[in-house]
Amino acid sequence: MLLGGHCSGGIKKALENAHSFGMDAVQLFAQSPRTWRYPEHDPADLKAFRRRREELGIGSVSIHALYLLNLASPKDDFYEKSVATLRSTVDTACAIGAEAVVFHVGSHLGSGFEAGLERAVPALREALTRCSDTTWLCMENSAGSGGTIGRSLEELTALYEALDHHERLGVCLDSCHLYASGYDVTEPAAMDDVVKAVDRAFGLDRLRVLHVNDSKTPLGSNRDRHDNIGDGLMGDGLAVFLGHPKLQGLPALLEVPGTDGHGPDAEQVEKLRKLHAKATRTRGGRRRGTKAVPRAARGTRG
């Protein structure tokens, strides 16, 4: 596995932060997470990112789209800003050679799932036309609060079907969100069922990114509250998710509070490495010392 996390610093500094924390993979924002304004990135900075990534040997890069996005919103002004921001995010991801743009679909705000789907599909079709063979758009499952779309694998499947199985549409699975949505991925049998369901619906080659987060809230709570590795209610059971044999080779990214509340850090990455080593010994995963090859680099297509 390529173990890493979400780092601050954006295009200019996230790689350095990831390297200092001992990460093999990184996720970053391409804009401030608190504002709609999308920056005009200097082409020199985008080129420098690609060069520096090569120098540091970072195996996988993902950009997380703005959390403010709501591609299912019935409100035209909000919807239009969401579409424009996702378009710009995809363009930036392609420019730096990122493997994935991870996004939340958003909420239908009471208008109903079908109405939300009708709004989201054309927005995503446009974004997908801007992706490249190496930069994919990845749907992330949600924790399920309010009218969010993507709270279940069935909802993600409906979106996938509506987009005609687009060749650059992938999936990101978040352990905390699965747990909050009622999938007990701390239990081997339940985790096996999740993997089988993903394989049936999308094919495992569509699974491009993992978010590895413990949960502050109970199974089925529908509340999105991430906790540090080992500190939440999933505890050591998170090893079941992290160590599943069918998920090895993927980037596994932390989105946790961190030791000081500023996000994933070296201490959390070390905990992740230890948990992964324990998990793969338990589940009979790859022998230690063998090199993980990310699925995104294998040239396979779903």
Side-chain angles (χ1 to χ4, degrees), residues 38-222:
Y38 200 88
E40 291 290 336
H41 291 293
D42 188 331
D45 291 333
L46 302 176
K47 184 177 181 180
F49 184 100
R50 298 177 75 117
R51 182 178 64 250
R52 188 58 175 152
R53 174 189 174 177
E54 184 76 17
E55 292 170 353
L56 296 176
I58 300 295
S60 175
V61 173
S62 300
I63 293 182
H64 201 300
L66 189 67
Y67 286 123
L68 294 172
L69 287 185
N70 188 354
L71 302 170
S73 177
K75 301 177 180 179
D76 288 340
D77 58 340
F78 210 95
Y79 177 79
E80 289 165 6
K81 286 192 290 187
S82 298
V83 172
T85 301
L86 182 60
R87 182 170 59 235
S88 296
T89 305
V90 169
D91 289 348
T92 300
C94 290
I96 65 170
E99 280 75 27
V101 172
V102 177
F103 72 98
H104 296 282
V105 181
S107 171
H108 57 68
L109 301 177
S111 63
F113 176 78
E114 293 300 329
L117 199 66
E118 189 174 338
R119 294 287 267 178
V121 167
L124 292 171
R125 282 195 193 282
E126 180 185 353
L128 285 162
T129 64
R130 308 176 83 90
C131 290
S132 69
D133 286 343
T134 53
T135 300
W136 284 31
L137 200 57
C138 292
M139 309 177 285
E140 181 179 351
N141 63 301
S142 69
S145 60
T148 54
I149 291 177
R151 67 181 65 200
S152 67
L153 295 177
E154 289 77 13
E155 288 193 356
L156 291 182
T157 301
L159 191 59
Y160 178 68
E161 296 287 345
L163 288 162
D164 303 317
H165 306 184
H166 194 284
E167 63 182 1
R168 291 181 288 278
L169 182 61
V171 177
C172 168
L173 287 184
D174 185 299
S175 57
C176 173
H177 298 171
L178 284 167
Y179 191 74
S181 295
Y183 298 93
D184 191 356
V185 294
T186 66
E187 292 293 334
M191 185 62 206
D192 284 341
D193 287 343
V194 167
V195 172
K196 289 175 184 175
V198 170
D199 195 17
R200 284 194 303 269
F202 315 106
L204 289 178
D205 282 336
R206 298 284 181 149
L207 183 55
R208 314 293 282 190
V209 183
L210 302 176
H211 286 168
V212 187
N213 303 304
D214 209 327
S215 178
K216 291 180 181 289
T217 60
L219 177 70
S221 64
N222 295 128

